[in-house]
Amino acid sequence: MKKTLLALALVGASTSAFADAWLYGGVSAGRAEYNGNSDTPMGFHVGTGILPIIGVEGGYWKHGNFDASNGKGYAELGSWYAALKPSIDIGPVQIYAKGGLHYYNADYKDGLSGSGSGTDFMYGVGAEYFVTDMLSVGASWQRFNGVKTKFDDKDVDSFTINATLHIF
């Protein structure tokens, strides 16, 4: 019995060690909501674990295209972000939060002209399951605050699935 418990502890510790990779990167896609309508966001992220329980992450989100309230034109929204990412590993599962800043850009199309941009806070939560020592899949929710367009000033909420490759 003691050998079995020792073996399980070692497997859990080795999986957790890989969860705090020195370098990781991945892709995400899902559903974003803004101004009463939704679209499919896509993004990528890269990060590093600076301590066993906290990392730094950055990336880009193409939130999608969102119609104007009056139905005349739409805004194509995207954000670059940088965030701190505290996490905890429970065996092969990593639970995390993230919080930081995002720089958004709105390009107007189909009857609207120009563009707009700004900076505000972003945050989110998620969980990942390590399929192998180097590959995790998971789900997350993010909120990008204060995205101002010609027709609204709202938050962009994204519910996504992701795949991440952990190196080193």
Side-chain angles (χ1 to χ4, degrees):
M1 180 68 172
K2 288 181 183 179
K3 288 181 183 179
T4 304
L5 290 175
L6 180 61
L8 286 173
L10 289 174
V11 168
S14 67
T15 303
S16 296
F18 282 107
D20 298 317
W22 184 77
L23 182 64
Y24 64 88
V27 295
S28 302
R31 179 183 173 102
E33 296 182 9
Y34 179 81
N35 192 38
N37 54 67
S38 63
D39 202 355
T40 303
M42 292 180 275
F44 69 87
H45 57 274
V46 295
T48 183
I50 56 176
L51 294 171
I53 60 169
I54 194 163
V56 177
E57 183 175 288
Y60 177 77
W61 279 98
K62 182 186 180 304
H63 300 297
N65 300 330
F66 300 96
D67 295 332
S69 301
N70 62 9
K72 296 181 180 178
Y74 65 91
E76 186 177 280
L77 301 178
S79 291
W80 289 96
Y81 76 93
L84 291 177
K85 184 180 175 186
S87 64
I88 186 166
D89 301 330
I90 304 168
V93 176
Q94 182 180 68
I95 300 169
Y96 62 87
K98 60 174 113 173
L101 296 173
H102 75 103
Y103 169 81
Y104 66 88
N105 189 48
D107 290 322
Y108 300 106
K109 312 281 184 183
D110 197 25
L112 295 173
S113 62
S115 64
S117 62
T119 304
D120 210 324
F121 293 103
M122 65 80 59
Y123 54 93
V125 294
E128 294 183 342
Y129 176 78
F130 278 78
V131 179
T132 69
D133 290 340
M134 294 180 62
L135 176 67
S136 66
V137 295
S140 63
W141 168 82
Q142 293 84 214
R143 172 167 284 170
F144 295 85
N145 285 342
V147 178
K148 296 176 186 162
T149 61
K150 287 183 176 182
F151 45 87
D152 225 331
D153 178 3
K154 296 200 179 228
D155 302 334
V156 176
D157 287 325
S158 297
F159 302 92
T160 60
I161 57 171
N162 58 332
T164 304
L165 184 62
H166 301 261
I167 305 168
F168 305 115

